[in-house]
Amino acid sequence: MDHFKFGVKFFVSNPGEINLRDFIPVFHEWIQQQKIPGHLLIDVHDYSHVHHGPGILLVAHEGNFSMDEADGRLGLVYVRKQPGTLQTALESARAAAKILEKERGVKFDSGTFEVFCNDRLVTPSATEIAQATGGEVFQKPGDPRERLTFVVQRS
């Protein structure tokens, strides 16, 4: 699975303790310190005014990170823009999540996350995602016009 346009969302388990706009200076600091290995961090955008929207977006050359509120669930999203594997996307998202946990006290649900692909022509199967993630995978129900999303559960 060497594609791009993969996305991963790790859900925040303590959303009531988090103010979305607090991530603006956090992401600016990440740019100043180039905190994410293998990424050229470029800019921050504030979409916190959009209901259930992309939240606070950190733009990088290789992929975008955001604290997003899609479907009413706060989480860290990483979308790969350059060629790479699903494993690459997972590692990048995990690196960002570890920094947020360690430095900002954000807690993430370690048992469930989502994987999606913004290109239906190259979307991997549930079996391929299960092999790459080491979890049990099922397709997320919803509107068929939405991007294909898989829920990964790990024990």
mmCIF file with all atom_site columns, all heavy atoms in Angstrom, residues 84-97:
data_model
loop_
_atom_site.group_PDB
_atom_site.id
_atom_site.type_symbol
_atom_site.label_atom_id
_atom_site.label_alt_id
_atom_site.label_comp_id
_atom_site.label_asym_id
_atom_site.label_entity_id
_atom_site.label_seq_id
_atom_site.pdbx_PDB_ins_code
_atom_site.Cartn_x
_atom_site.Cartn_y
_atom_site.Cartn_z
_atom_site.occupancy
_atom_site.B_iso_or_equiv
_atom_site.pdbx_formal_charge
_atom_site.auth_seq_id
_atom_site.auth_comp_id
_atom_site.auth_asym_id
_atom_site.auth_atom_id
_atom_site.pdbx_PDB_model_num
ATOM 1  N N   . GLY A 1 84 ? 3.557  7.705  0.313  1.00 0.00 ? 84 GLY A N   1
ATOM 2  C CA  . GLY A 1 84 ? 3.984  6.996  1.510  1.00 0.00 ? 84 GLY A CA  1
ATOM 3  C C   . GLY A 1 84 ? 3.033  5.849  1.756  1.00 0.00 ? 84 GLY A C   1
ATOM 4  O O   . GLY A 1 84 ? 2.101  5.623  0.995  1.00 0.00 ? 84 GLY A O   1
ATOM 5  N N   . THR A 1 85 ? 3.252  5.166  2.817  1.00 0.00 ? 85 THR A N   1
ATOM 6  C CA  . THR A 1 85 ? 2.406  4.026  3.153  1.00 0.00 ? 85 THR A CA  1
ATOM 7  C C   . THR A 1 85 ? 1.429  4.411  4.258  1.00 0.00 ? 85 THR A C   1
ATOM 8  O O   . THR A 1 85 ? 1.578  5.455  4.898  1.00 0.00 ? 85 THR A O   1
ATOM 9  C CB  . THR A 1 85 ? 3.264  2.848  3.637  1.00 0.00 ? 85 THR A CB  1
ATOM 10 O OG1 . THR A 1 85 ? 3.928  3.250  4.844  1.00 0.00 ? 85 THR A OG1 1
ATOM 11 C CG2 . THR A 1 85 ? 4.284  2.435  2.592  1.00 0.00 ? 85 THR A CG2 1
ATOM 12 N N   . LEU A 1 86 ? 0.486  3.538  4.481  1.00 0.00 ? 86 LEU A N   1
ATOM 13 C CA  . LEU A 1 86 ? -0.412 3.738  5.618  1.00 0.00 ? 86 LEU A CA  1
ATOM 14 C C   . LEU A 1 86 ? 0.400  3.750  6.903  1.00 0.00 ? 86 LEU A C   1
ATOM 15 O O   . LEU A 1 86 ? 0.129  4.531  7.819  1.00 0.00 ? 86 LEU A O   1
ATOM 16 C CB  . LEU A 1 86 ? -1.487 2.647  5.660  1.00 0.00 ? 86 LEU A CB  1
ATOM 17 C CG  . LEU A 1 86 ? -2.431 2.661  6.855  1.00 0.00 ? 86 LEU A CG  1
ATOM 18 C CD1 . LEU A 1 86 ? -3.125 4.003  7.004  1.00 0.00 ? 86 LEU A CD1 1
ATOM 19 C CD2 . LEU A 1 86 ? -3.446 1.537  6.730  1.00 0.00 ? 86 LEU A CD2 1
ATOM 20 N N   . GLN A 1 87 ? 1.422  2.926  6.969  1.00 0.00 ? 87 GLN A N   1
ATOM 21 C CA  . GLN A 1 87 ? 2.285  2.888  8.147  1.00 0.00 ? 87 GLN A CA  1
ATOM 22 C C   . GLN A 1 87 ? 2.955  4.243  8.377  1.00 0.00 ? 87 GLN A C   1
ATOM 23 O O   . GLN A 1 87 ? 3.073  4.701  9.502  1.00 0.00 ? 87 GLN A O   1
ATOM 24 C CB  . GLN A 1 87 ? 3.342  1.779  7.991  1.00 0.00 ? 87 GLN A CB  1
ATOM 25 C CG  . GLN A 1 87 ? 4.028  1.428  9.284  1.00 0.00 ? 87 GLN A CG  1
ATOM 26 C CD  . GLN A 1 87 ? 3.060  0.909  10.342 1.00 0.00 ? 87 GLN A CD  1
ATOM 27 O OE1 . GLN A 1 87 ? 2.126  0.169  10.049 1.00 0.00 ? 87 GLN A OE1 1
ATOM 28 N NE2 . GLN A 1 87 ? 3.263  1.308  11.571 1.00 0.00 ? 87 GLN A NE2 1
ATOM 29 N N   . THR A 1 88 ? 3.366  4.907  7.291  1.00 0.00 ? 88 THR A N   1
ATOM 30 C CA  . THR A 1 88 ? 3.964  6.246  7.386  1.00 0.00 ? 88 THR A CA  1
ATOM 31 C C   . THR A 1 88 ? 2.972  7.224  8.006  1.00 0.00 ? 88 THR A C   1
ATOM 32 O O   . THR A 1 88 ? 3.326  8.013  8.886  1.00 0.00 ? 88 THR A O   1
ATOM 33 C CB  . THR A 1 88 ? 4.376  6.748  5.989  1.00 0.00 ? 88 THR A CB  1
ATOM 34 O OG1 . THR A 1 88 ? 5.254  5.810  5.391  1.00 0.00 ? 88 THR A OG1 1
ATOM 35 C CG2 . THR A 1 88 ? 5.060  8.095  6.065  1.00 0.00 ? 88 THR A CG2 1
ATOM 36 N N   . ALA A 1 89 ? 1.734  7.178  7.541  1.00 0.00 ? 89 ALA A N   1
ATOM 37 C CA  . ALA A 1 89 ? 0.705  8.069  8.077  1.00 0.00 ? 89 ALA A CA  1
ATOM 38 C C   . ALA A 1 89 ? 0.451  7.783  9.552  1.00 0.00 ? 89 ALA A C   1
ATOM 39 O O   . ALA A 1 89 ? 0.341  8.703  10.372 1.00 0.00 ? 89 ALA A O   1
ATOM 40 C CB  . ALA A 1 89 ? -0.584 7.928  7.274  1.00 0.00 ? 89 ALA A CB  1
ATOM 41 N N   . LEU A 1 90 ? 0.373  6.513  9.912  1.00 0.00 ? 90 LEU A N   1
ATOM 42 C CA  . LEU A 1 90 ? 0.159  6.136  11.316 1.00 0.00 ? 90 LEU A CA  1
ATOM 43 C C   . LEU A 1 90 ? 1.301  6.623  12.198 1.00 0.00 ? 90 LEU A C   1
ATOM 44 O O   . LEU A 1 90 ? 1.074  7.170  13.284 1.00 0.00 ? 90 LEU A O   1
ATOM 45 C CB  . LEU A 1 90 ? 0.019  4.621  11.450 1.00 0.00 ? 90 LEU A CB  1
ATOM 46 C CG  . LEU A 1 90 ? -1.311 4.032  11.022 1.00 0.00 ? 90 LEU A CG  1
ATOM 47 C CD1 . LEU A 1 90 ? -1.202 2.516  10.895 1.00 0.00 ? 90 LEU A CD1 1
ATOM 48 C CD2 . LEU A 1 90 ? -2.402 4.402  12.012 1.00 0.00 ? 90 LEU A CD2 1
ATOM 49 N N   . GLU A 1 91 ? 2.528  6.446  11.742 1.00 0.00 ? 91 GLU A N   1
ATOM 50 C CA  . GLU A 1 91 ? 3.688  6.876  12.530 1.00 0.00 ? 91 GLU A CA  1
ATOM 51 C C   . GLU A 1 91 ? 3.695  8.381  12.723 1.00 0.00 ? 91 GLU A C   1
ATOM 52 O O   . GLU A 1 91 ? 4.013  8.872  13.813 1.00 0.00 ? 91 GLU A O   1
ATOM 53 C CB  . GLU A 1 91 ? 4.978  6.405  11.859 1.00 0.00 ? 91 GLU A CB  1
ATOM 54 C CG  . GLU A 1 91 ? 5.188  4.913  11.948 1.00 0.00 ? 91 GLU A CG  1
ATOM 55 C CD  . GLU A 1 91 ? 6.320  4.410  11.070 1.00 0.00 ? 91 GLU A CD  1
ATOM 56 O OE1 . GLU A 1 91 ? 7.013  5.223  10.419 1.00 0.00 ? 91 GLU A OE1 1
ATOM 57 O OE2 . GLU A 1 91 ? 6.506  3.176  11.024 1.00 0.00 ? 91 GLU A OE2 1
ATOM 58 N N   . SER A 1 92 ? 3.344  9.134  11.690 1.00 0.00 ? 92 SER A N   1
ATOM 59 C CA  . SER A 1 92 ? 3.304  10.594 11.800 1.00 0.00 ? 92 SER A CA  1
ATOM 60 C C   . SER A 1 92 ? 2.226  11.040 12.787 1.00 0.00 ? 92 SER A C   1
ATOM 61 O O   . SER A 1 92 ? 2.461  11.919 13.624 1.00 0.00 ? 92 SER A O   1
ATOM 62 C CB  . SER A 1 92 ? 3.055  11.220 10.425 1.00 0.00 ? 92 SER A CB  1
ATOM 63 O OG  . SER A 1 92 ? 4.101  10.904 9.543  1.00 0.00 ? 92 SER A OG  1
ATOM 64 N N   . ALA A 1 93 ? 1.049  10.422 12.694 1.00 0.00 ? 93 ALA A N   1
ATOM 65 C CA  . ALA A 1 93 ? -0.034 10.759 13.619 1.00 0.00 ? 93 ALA A CA  1
ATOM 66 C C   . ALA A 1 93 ? 0.340  10.395 15.050 1.00 0.00 ? 93 ALA A C   1
ATOM 67 O O   . ALA A 1 93 ? 0.079  11.159 15.982 1.00 0.00 ? 93 ALA A O   1
ATOM 68 C CB  . ALA A 1 93 ? -1.323 10.048 13.198 1.00 0.00 ? 93 ALA A CB  1
ATOM 69 N N   . ARG A 1 94 ? 0.961  9.240  15.228 1.00 0.00 ? 94 ARG A N   1
ATOM 70 C CA  . ARG A 1 94 ? 1.376  8.821  16.581 1.00 0.00 ? 94 ARG A CA  1
ATOM 71 C C   . ARG A 1 94 ? 2.425  9.761  17.160 1.00 0.00 ? 94 ARG A C   1
ATOM 72 O O   . ARG A 1 94 ? 2.415  10.050 18.357 1.00 0.00 ? 94 ARG A O   1
ATOM 73 C CB  . ARG A 1 94 ? 1.902  7.391  16.556 1.00 0.00 ? 94 ARG A CB  1
ATOM 74 C CG  . ARG A 1 94 ? 0.808  6.364  16.471 1.00 0.00 ? 94 ARG A CG  1
ATOM 75 C CD  . ARG A 1 94 ? 1.345  4.940  16.607 1.00 0.00 ? 94 ARG A CD  1
ATOM 76 N NE  . ARG A 1 94 ? 0.269  3.982  16.456 1.00 0.00 ? 94 ARG A NE  1
ATOM 77 C CZ  . ARG A 1 94 ? 0.232  3.039  15.528 1.00 0.00 ? 94 ARG A CZ  1
ATOM 78 N NH1 . ARG A 1 94 ? 1.237  2.887  14.683 1.00 0.00 ? 94 ARG A NH1 1
ATOM 79 N NH2 . ARG A 1 94 ? -0.788 2.219  15.453 1.00 0.00 ? 94 ARG A NH2 1
ATOM 80 N N   . ALA A 1 95 ? 3.352  10.225 16.320 1.00 0.00 ? 95 ALA A N   1
ATOM 81 C CA  . ALA A 1 95 ? 4.380  11.157 16.794 1.00 0.00 ? 95 ALA A CA  1
ATOM 82 C C   . ALA A 1 95 ? 3.737  12.438 17.317 1.00 0.00 ? 95 ALA A C   1
ATOM 83 O O   . ALA A 1 95 ? 4.097  12.937 18.394 1.00 0.00 ? 95 ALA A O   1
ATOM 84 C CB  . ALA A 1 95 ? 5.370  11.463 15.671 1.00 0.00 ? 95 ALA A CB  1
ATOM 85 N N   . ALA A 1 96 ? 2.772  12.967 16.570 1.00 0.00 ? 96 ALA A N   1
ATOM 86 C CA  . ALA A 1 96 ? 2.079  14.186 17.007 1.00 0.00 ? 96 ALA A CA  1
ATOM 87 C C   . ALA A 1 96 ? 1.272  13.933 18.274 1.00 0.00 ? 96 ALA A C   1
ATOM 88 O O   . ALA A 1 96 ? 1.279  14.751 19.204 1.00 0.00 ? 96 ALA A O   1
ATOM 89 C CB  . ALA A 1 96 ? 1.174  14.691 15.884 1.00 0.00 ? 96 ALA A CB  1
ATOM 90 N N   . ALA A 1 97 ? 0.593  12.796 18.340 1.00 0.00 ? 97 ALA A N   1
ATOM 91 C CA  . ALA A 1 97 ? -0.208 12.469 19.526 1.00 0.00 ? 97 ALA A CA  1
ATOM 92 C C   . ALA A 1 97 ? 0.678  12.345 20.763 1.00 0.00 ? 97 ALA A C   1
ATOM 93 O O   . ALA A 1 97 ? 0.301  12.821 21.841 1.00 0.00 ? 97 ALA A O   1
ATOM 94 C CB  . ALA A 1 97 ? -0.987 11.182 19.296 1.00 0.00 ? 97 ALA A CB  1
#
